[in-house]
Amino acid sequence: MPENNQQLNNSSANRDDTGDLSESQSMLKRLESSGTGGTTTVTHKEEVEKKTHVDTETHYTEKVHTGHVSSVLFVCAVFILAVTGILFISPMVLLINDKEQLTNDLNDGLYAYYTYSNKVLGGQLGAGCGEKTIKCKFQTMSPMLKERFERYGFILTSSQATNKRYNVSSLIFPNGGGAAVDATTLNAVRKNNHSADDLMNKVYSSRTGIYQDRQFFDRLLSKFGIEQDNTLHGDTVEKFDAAFDERVAHGDPRYNDFSDDVENAATNAQDTQDAIDENGRGIYSLASLSEMSNSWRTKIYTNLEAKANTHLSLACSYATYGNLAENAVARAKVVSTARYAMNYLAVADDLKAGSPIDGEIAVESLANKLTKANSNGKNAMDADTYRVPALGESIKDRATILTELTPLLLLGILKPGAPSVPGTEYLKLALTSNIVQNGARDRTAHGLCSEGMSGAQMATEQSGLCWSPASMPLASYIGVAAGGVIGAAKDLIERIMCPASVKSVVELVKAATRTEATATLPERIRIAAQAESQRFSASTTGIQAQNIIFAGTGTLLGDRAQSLGMRPANIASMTVYMTQAQLLQEKLENEERIAARSTPWDATNPYSFVGSVVAKFAPAGTALPSGSWQGGVSTLLSSLPLAANGVLQTGVSALYTQPSHFQVTRMQPATVCGIQGDLDIEINPDFACNIRYSMTPQELSLDISEILDYMTKPHPDNAQKSLSEVNARDTSADPERGERMKKQARDGAAAAYVDPATGKPNKYTEYAKFMQYCVNRQDPWGGIGMAVDEQDPKYAEDPVDEKGRRTSDNRSGLREKPDDEEKPESYYALGWGSTADQEWYTGKKCMDDSSEMMKYFRGYTMACAVLASMSGSRQCWDEDTIPNSHDDFYTTNNIIFKASS
């Protein structure tokens, strides 16, 4: 009690320059984190010599909760909150509530991650191992986790293993809370002792540890170009809005110049962050894509046409050019959506964390946008994208949401075309409408592109003297001027060039068609992307803003689920998964009720006293009547009588759980959302076109040892059909690439899926394809672009402490900027590999629930991600590190869009 009073007095005496908002915000954090009353902070601080290892001080902070809250403290706290924070409660609650409602609704990874984290943690007790293998890594405990257990008062019976991890034979809970010697006894202790389970979740949260690890931090940078933080700034609304727009347009720094001092690496990495490479891949928003039109005329188109040795393969390059353009605008819209949402989500989590932000400016700017009413008097809280997830209402205006969030309008601008002004669909028809004479048996795009690499196709073109069966029809299809050039060269082609070398004729056609093939498409991309980017600006308000926030939240959380190996869901798979998840929801709700008895100050727990008050003061779906958040104060105060009547009622849904409001009618056919590739059966996106993710009961019930046994062995039968088809292909028109393709297929079929020593995926295996085209997919679902040899990213090296241990912090997310000279090998995906490989390239294979292979792929990817999270590493095959900080307030309060470090 004296400690709490001292905290309150210090709070009043030491008010900083950020004003009342920071005061209220930091007090809320202290009250929430005080749990059962007082807070004891244990701080570990190490000075490390700058020249030898780490050039900054290492700070490590843990929080351990003790004591009880008295009624006197309650009265004092409410009074102080009322005096200092009442004007800010409404907008703060608005932003936080919106973030929490959407997170609860869209957090598909929770159930699967919760299941696997308990498996992986239990497997580190009792077994022990003395080998440097991935199996032993799963049976031993990381230095990070061991030290964290010890900081929270656990006693471990352990010995260091040869893999620099620890064999742990027993785990003794503090204060007589029990002991665990294996997974079974650990689960029993956690099930029967809520306090022990709560303490375990402070060490490592089975619910939100997924979001406070290196993988999520790096994933946000590598997929969306944004940091796991609020990076907005500005001391006026105008400056704040300008920062908002700039972050949506160009993202955050993510490359490290290795000539920089480590301390300055992040701030000095100010090169243009958004970029597109010669294969049409990269990170770019609609705004930054609109600035890249020259790349489509130069490096992208040049890279594509350079790979063509026959007229038919040149037609394949035109089709791929069209595919890449469509993929790019769809991808850019997804990135813009995610970045826009992150601006709101990160500020909300900043408020929850009590972090210093630009005070009232951030809250005022964002809250005003949400509460601004349209001509019908409706604002963001009236949007389907709020009321459906928060209240379980039915969708009323699906058409408007689809219009705003699908890429269909963008694609509509790109597709049409004619000679001299080819669009994407027109370019694809250059291949599939048989402009070039060929003898392909398979008349699909894949069959035709494959035929383009064959000696038989080159012979067909040469026997017809090139001009009539190939050169003239293809050139005139692309453009009038190109047709004129090739028409005038008929005699030269037929009498001299074609008999000597078909490839020389192809080069002539390339030169003749280049200008018209790229005449309008780059400009269409620029115009369409620039116009569409206006939807994602700081001036977007109300329902339209909420629609983007919902879709962007779904994109960010969905991408995390995707990174864990989960499949894009359809109605059937999602229904089964949600039924299983409901059992977890009931368990977590019960935990919240138990916790609420001893944590009445937790405003994020709807079962606590303050949480239920907040739920009534800012009831879900109650729109603030004015165009400014300040007008919400009257609404807040007028609801007091209603709140008093219902203040002890049970909350509607525990935070941090899967939603109880999910309806399968929300899901819709893939084509409605502009997803190509005939995937209507395999994928059913949510009503804002964000992809949902699931796992089967069989995948969730896999044993870790069973997964590892399967993944560390070769399974040539799974690749035999594909290998036979590739080996039988005629690639004599492009022998160097053809041999590379066949060698990759042979190597992949013979190898174990992962290296038994490290656990790293072996290149060219079916699992490597799963990782590239499902887990780390760059093309939109259903889209097909280039088959690219993946290169491992190069990161800033983790520093070493005085004990020789690797440590990590946010800087560890920075990568070395790719070297333009080190370009990966690539080829048109339409012509690469086997027929079965086409399903990898489009993503269709990623939705396969029937095969044993895919079951183990998903299980291993999930287990590997969990182990990495428990080891301070990016992937389970990477070196363990010890993070420089850990704040259990983040993991126990659902703070996921701000890194605790």
Side-chain angles (χ1 to χ4, degrees):
M1 174 64 187
E3 181 182 336
N4 283 306
N5 285 335
Q6 185 63 44
Q7 287 181 356
L8 294 175
N9 291 335
N10 288 343
S11 175
S12 299
N14 299 310
R15 184 169 302 178
D16 59 29
D17 295 334
T18 59
D20 291 338
L21 177 60
S22 293
E23 176 80 9
S24 304
Q25 163 186 348
S26 59
M27 184 175 297
L28 281 172
K29 175 174 179 176
R30 288 197 298 275
L31 290 171
E32 289 179 353
S33 65
S34 64
T36 54
T39 301
T40 301
T41 301
V42 182
T43 302
H44 168 65
K45 180 176 179 180
E46 298 179 13
E47 295 281 354
V48 183
E49 286 191 27
K50 182 175 182 180
K51 294 182 180 180
T52 56
H53 298 291
V54 187
D55 60 352
T56 60
E57 290 183 347
T58 300
H59 298 273
Y60 201 106
T61 303
E62 302 282 6
K63 295 185 184 297
V64 182
H65 305 308
T66 62
H68 287 278
V69 175
S70 71
S71 59
V72 175
L73 177 58
F74 171 77
V75 173
C76 293
V78 169
F79 176 78
I80 293 173
L81 283 173
V83 172
T84 63
I86 192 66
L87 292 179
F88 305 101
I89 282 289
S90 181
M92 287 172 63
V93 169
L94 175 68
L95 294 174
I96 293 172
N97 177 58
D98 195 22
K99 174 255 174 181
E100 295 297 336
Q101 294 288 359
L102 301 189
T103 300
N104 292 347
D105 184 69
L106 298 166
N107 191 4
D108 293 336
L110 172 63
Y111 171 52
Y113 183 79
Y114 183 91
T115 301
Y116 267 82
S117 63
N118 291 331
K119 286 185 189 182
V120 173
L121 185 57
Q124 297 175 23
L125 300 179
C129 198
E131 302 173 354
K132 293 183 179 180
T133 64
I134 187 60
K135 289 183 179 180
C136 279
K137 194 167 187 178
F138 271 95
Q139 295 173 356
T140 52
M141 187 175 290
S142 70
M144 178 200 90
L145 202 56
K146 176 179 178 291
E147 290 192 9
R148 197 177 290 177
F149 271 118
E150 291 172 341
R151 284 194 176 96
Y152 279 84
F154 289 79
I155 298 175
L156 288 78
T157 304
S158 63
S159 61
Q160 189 160 24
T162 55
N163 59 3
K164 297 183 180 179
R165 292 165 67 87
Y166 291 89
N167 289 315
V168 179
S169 57
S170 68
L171 180 70
I172 303 174
F173 286 73
N175 304 319
V181 296
D182 54 24
T184 301
T185 53
L186 178 63
N187 290 336
V189 172
R190 298 185 71 174
K191 180 179 180 180
N192 299 320
N193 188 332
H194 171 75
S195 297
D197 185 55
D198 183 61
L199 194 57
M200 282 289 295
N201 277 317
K202 292 180 185 299
V203 174
Y204 184 83
S205 174
S206 299
R207 295 187 246 172
T208 55
I210 182 178
Y211 295 109
Q212 291 296 335
D213 63 10
R214 301 184 74 184
Q215 192 177 86
F216 185 53
F217 186 94
D218 182 60
R219 186 81 175 190
L220 291 174
L221 281 169
S222 63
K223 290 295 290 292
F224 306 106
I226 48 177
E227 292 185 24
Q228 188 185 2
D229 202 353
N230 167 31
T231 61
L232 302 180
H233 55 82
D235 55 9
T236 66
V237 171
E238 290 74 18
K239 291 180 180 178
F240 180 86
D241 286 354
F244 184 108
D245 288 341
E246 176 60 22
R247 192 186 195 197
V248 173
H250 299 109
D252 296 319
R254 62 183 174 277
Y255 293 127
N256 177 39
D257 183 345
F258 280 70
S259 64
D260 285 341
D261 181 81
V262 172
E263 269 287 283
N264 300 322
T267 56
N268 288 350
Q270 296 301 317
D271 291 342
T272 300
Q273 297 297 294
D274 283 8
I276 193 168
D277 67 13
E278 68 279 0
N279 293 304
R281 308 191 315 169
I283 307 174
Y284 39 80
S285 67
L286 288 165
S288 59
L289 180 63
S290 72
E291 301 164 358
M292 300 173 181
S293 58
N294 190 53
S295 294
W296 291 92
R297 293 188 177 91
T298 54
K299 63 181 180 181
I300 295 174
Y301 187 80
T302 301
N303 177 57
L304 293 176
E305 69 169 11
K307 302 180 189 304
N309 289 345
T310 65
H311 291 84
L312 188 58
S313 59
L314 182 59
C316 186
S317 78
Y318 297 144
T320 301
Y321 190 52
N323 284 334
L324 293 184
E326 292 180 0
N327 291 348
V329 295
R331 172 69 180 145
K333 188 159 187 176
V334 168
V335 170
S336 294
T337 303
R339 288 178 178 177
Y340 184 97
M342 187 66 171
N343 285 347
Y344 282 85
L345 300 170
V347 168
D349 271 351
D350 253 357
L351 290 169
K352 291 190 69 176
S355 302
I357 58 175
D358 283 313
E360 295 87 340
I361 299 301
V363 177
E364 177 185 354
S365 176
L366 298 183
N368 279 349
K369 298 180 199 315
L370 293 182
T371 58
K372 186 172 182 179
N374 61 19
S375 58
N376 296 320
K378 304 292 186 181
N379 63 28
M381 300 301 101
D382 297 300
D384 283 345
T385 45
Y386 179 80
R387 302 185 72 86
V388 170
L391 302 175
E393 293 185 358
S394 60
I395 303 165
K396 299 178 178 64
D397 192 8
R398 191 187 296 260
T400 298
I401 296 170
L402 291 174
T403 299
E404 294 175 356
L405 297 173
T406 73
L408 289 172
L409 292 178
L410 289 164
L411 296 176
I413 295 173
L414 302 188
K415 283 180 178 289
S420 303
V421 287
T424 58
E425 194 64 31
Y426 188 83
L427 287 167
K428 287 187 278 187
L429 288 172
L431 174 68
T432 56
S433 58
N434 295 315
I435 302 298
V436 177
Q437 182 178 322
N438 64 84
R441 295 181 180 180
D442 180 357
R443 310 305 295 178
T444 65
H446 167 62
L448 292 167
C449 282
S450 298
E451 185 72 8
M453 295 181 75
S454 70
Q457 177 61 29
M458 184 167 281
T460 296
E461 294 176 9
Q462 193 167 37
S463 64
L465 300 179
C466 294
W467 190 89
S468 178
S471 305
M472 185 60 189
L474 186 59
S476 58
Y477 179 84
I478 295 299
V480 175
V485 170
I486 298 302
K490 179 180 179 181
D491 287 348
L492 176 65
I493 292 172
E494 291 186 336
R495 294 182 180 182
I496 301 175
M497 296 181 68
C498 189
S501 169
V502 170
K503 189 173 180 181
S504 66
V505 182
V506 173
E507 293 300 318
L508 180 63
V509 175
K510 290 178 185 177
T513 57
R514 189 173 300 131
T515 299
E516 287 171 297
T518 62
T520 63
L521 189 54
E523 188 65 10
R524 292 193 207 187
I525 294 172
R526 185 189 69 80
I527 293 171
Q530 187 177 59
E532 190 71 3
S533 69
Q534 301 308 306
R535 293 183 187 270
F536 301 89
S537 73
S539 61
T540 301
T541 61
I543 291 176
Q544 189 177 10
Q546 181 64 22
N547 291 344
I548 299 172
I549 296 169
F550 176 89
T553 305
T555 295
L556 293 168
L557 297 178
D559 183 75
R560 188 61 178 121
Q562 179 184 344
S563 74
L564 300 172
M566 298 175 71
R567 63 151 285 180
N570 58 16
I571 290 174
S573 72
M574 196 67 181
T575 300
V576 173
Y577 180 69
M578 293 296 292
T579 300
Q580 297 290 313
Q582 185 66 29
L583 300 175
L584 171 62
Q585 178 182 351
E586 293 169 0
K587 176 183 182 299
L588 298 183
E589 284 181 353
N590 186 57
E591 290 179 3
E592 296 291 349
R593 289 189 179 93
I594 295 172
R597 299 170 190 167
S598 57
T599 57
W601 293 105
D602 186 356
T604 65
N605 186 335
Y607 302 109
S608 71
F609 187 84
V610 173
S612 62
V613 171
V614 170
K616 299 302 177 183
F617 280 8
T622 299
L624 300 181
S626 93
S628 173
W629 62 261
Q630 289 92 336
V633 174
S634 61
T635 301
L636 176 67
L637 296 177
S638 67
S639 67
L640 279 172
L642 175 62
N645 290 331
V647 76
L648 297 179
Q649 295 179 8
T650 302
V652 293
S653 176
L655 295 179
Y656 332 140
T657 68
Q658 277 295 102
S660 58
H661 293 147
F662 183 79
Q663 310 161 31
V664 294
T665 54
R666 289 168 49 164
M667 303 180 81
Q668 54 200 353
T671 50
V672 170
C673 293
I675 296 175
Q676 304 187 69
D678 297 323
L679 297 178
D680 280 345
I681 295 175
E682 289 81 8
I683 301 179
N684 298 132
D686 208 345
F687 70 104
C689 288
N690 50 296
I691 307 297
R692 304 303 297 261
Y693 290 83
S694 65
M695 289 184 80
T696 67
Q698 293 75 23
E699 292 159 356
L700 291 167
S701 63
L702 286 171
D703 183 77
I704 299 297
S705 61
E706 182 185 355
I707 294 171
L708 295 174
D709 283 343
Y710 183 87
M711 296 298 292
T712 53
K713 297 174 182 176
H715 298 273
D717 290 348
N718 290 338
Q720 188 56 52
K721 183 178 179 181
S722 179
L723 175 62
S724 297
E725 182 181 329
V726 170
N727 280 334
R729 280 186 54 176
D730 173 6
T731 58
S732 54
D734 201 342
E736 184 177 341
R737 291 191 184 92
E739 180 52 37
R740 178 168 63 87
M741 176 179 65
K742 294 178 180 182
K743 183 178 185 303
Q744 288 178 3
R746 291 192 297 269
D747 292 348
Y753 287 138
V754 301
D755 184 340
T758 65
K760 185 176 182 179
N762 283 317
K763 295 190 74 172
Y764 313 125
T765 61
E766 295 299 287
Y767 183 59
K769 296 172 188 176
F770 175 81
M771 290 296 293
Q772 181 173 357
Y773 297 107
C774 301
V775 175
N776 301 318
R777 185 172 185 82
Q778 297 204 32
D779 292 328
W781 294 109
I784 188 166
M786 298 291 285
V788 182
D789 278 5
E790 286 296 290
Q791 295 178 317
D792 292 334
K794 298 177 182 179
Y795 290 93
E797 185 177 5
D798 292 322
V800 179
D801 68 10
E802 79 288 353
K803 298 178 181 178
R805 306 174 305 179
R806 289 287 179 190
T807 62
S808 58
D809 54 25
N810 278 1
R811 172 191 168 273
S812 303
L814 292 173
R815 296 183 175 192
E816 181 180 359
K817 195 166 187 178
D819 190 339
D820 289 338
E821 300 303 318
E822 297 180 7
K823 296 178 180 179
E825 295 287 346
S826 62
Y827 194 72
Y828 321 125
L830 286 172
W832 196 254
S834 67
T835 303
D837 287 329
Q838 296 300 298
E839 292 195 351
W840 285 120
Y841 303 148
T842 63
K844 185 174 182 178
K845 184 68 175 177
C846 305
M847 278 68 82
D848 179 8
D849 278 339
S850 61
S851 70
E852 179 185 58
M853 179 183 77
M854 295 298 288
K855 176 179 70 174
Y856 285 113
F857 285 1
R858 294 193 185 104
Y860 181 77
T861 306
M862 178 69 73
C864 177
V866 171
L867 183 64
S869 185
M870 292 180 177
S871 305
S873 58
R874 295 184 188 89
Q875 301 286 354
C876 67
W877 55 83
D878 290 328
E879 185 177 6
D880 294 350
T881 72
I882 299 178
N884 286 339
S885 65
H886 168 66
D887 190 343
D888 66 51
F889 182 83
Y890 283 66
T891 55
T892 57
N893 282 277
N894 202 37
I895 298 172
I896 61 180
F897 297 106
K898 180 177 179 63
S900 63
S901 58

